[in-house]
């Protein structure tokens, strides 16, 4: 039950950061496409890239601040890769809507963005939590050998306990 509460809180925070990214995404798209007349797919790419940058800051420094940050280069690389796939999903839905279905009004483009963004959001949540912002492994108290252990059987038993504790810690890290 504790795990369900934890993921519920994570989903809420993910949604808050994501919502700020959606606002940025739609605002930039609107300005680029509607106000400036830039093509919809190019506008979508520009809007999504800017939203990705703002979302990274929210995810790294608020939502996943307690996660392993030892390898920032790896984290940023994976974040950009999965965000790029999300952008392809969004842009693909928008392109399909406009060029295949012929839905070209401002309202229809915004609707296609909503659908594409919803699909990409599910993909991003799963990929970010699974591969990008990995949880720190829980620490296990190391087993201390007893100072009075002289017998070989006792030393072997203590060694087995230490090995088992390390295996548990390793399994939790995966």
């Amino acid at each position: 039950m504790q795990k369900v509460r934890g993921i519920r809180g994570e989903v809420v925070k993910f949604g808050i950061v994501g919502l700020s990214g959606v606002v940025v995404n739609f605002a930039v798209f609107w300005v680029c496409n509607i106000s400036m007349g830039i093509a919809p797919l190019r506008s979508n790419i520009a809007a999504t890239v800017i939203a990705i940058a703002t979302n990274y800051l929210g995810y790294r420094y608020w939502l996943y601040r307690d996660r392993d940050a030892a390898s920032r280069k790896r984290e940023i690389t994976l974040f950009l890769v999965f965000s790029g796939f999300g952008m392809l999903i969004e842009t693909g839905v928008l392109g399909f809507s406009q060029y295949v279905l012929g839905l070209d009004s401002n309202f229809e483009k915004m609707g296609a963005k909503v659908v594409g963004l919803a699909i990409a959001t599910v993909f991003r949540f799963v990929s970010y939590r699974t591969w990008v912002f990995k949880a720190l492994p829980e620490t296990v108290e190391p087993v201390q050998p007893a100072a009075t252990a002289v017998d070989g059987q006792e030393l072997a038993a203590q060694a087995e306990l230490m090995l088992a504790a390390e295996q548990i810690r390793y399994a939790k890290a995966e």
Side-chain angles (χ1 to χ4, degrees):
M1 190 63 162
Q2 181 67 24
K3 193 168 190 151
V4 171
R5 282 189 207 118
I7 196 151
R8 190 176 340 150
E10 185 178 342
V11 168
V12 168
K13 287 182 176 181
F14 187 89
I16 291 169
V17 172
L19 186 59
S20 70
V22 167
V23 169
V24 169
N25 191 325
F26 277 86
V28 173
F29 179 80
W30 185 265
V31 168
C32 289
N33 183 248
I34 309 304
S35 299
M36 298 173 66
I38 298 172
L41 299 183
R42 288 183 179 157
S43 296
N44 188 66
I45 291 170
T48 304
V49 166
I50 293 169
I52 286 169
T54 60
N55 283 358
Y56 178 78
L57 296 173
Y59 293 136
R60 165 45 46 216
Y61 297 106
W62 183 53
L63 175 57
Y64 296 120
R65 69 179 174 270
D66 61 335
R67 299 289 177 98
D68 185 13
S71 178
R72 277 297 153 95
K73 187 176 182 180
R74 176 195 156 280
E75 174 184 288
I76 290 172
T77 301
L78 288 175
F79 183 83
L80 291 175
V81 166
F82 289 119
S83 294
F85 280 123
M87 182 174 61
L88 289 175
I89 292 168
E90 289 178 54
T91 306
V93 170
L94 180 61
F96 181 81
S97 168
Q98 183 174 9
Y99 298 113
V100 175
L101 301 179
L103 305 175
D104 198 29
S105 74
N106 292 338
F107 178 74
E108 292 166 335
K109 286 187 267 188
M110 293 306 248
K113 272 194 68 59
V114 168
V115 171
L117 193 60
I119 296 167
T121 297
V122 172
F123 169 77
R124 287 179 178 130
F125 176 75
V126 171
S127 60
Y128 292 167
R129 120 178 269 283
T130 305
W131 293 292
V132 180
F133 301 105
K134 295 174 93 172
L136 289 170
E138 294 180 27
T139 58
V140 176
E141 292 295 321
V143 177
Q144 298 295 329
T148 59
V150 176
D151 185 344
Q153 287 180 335
E154 288 180 42
L155 287 175
Q158 289 176 356
E160 287 178 7
L161 284 174
M162 290 175 66
L163 180 61
E166 286 298 313
Q167 288 174 338
I168 291 170
R169 188 173 74 167
Y170 178 75
K172 286 184 179 180
E174 293 179 335

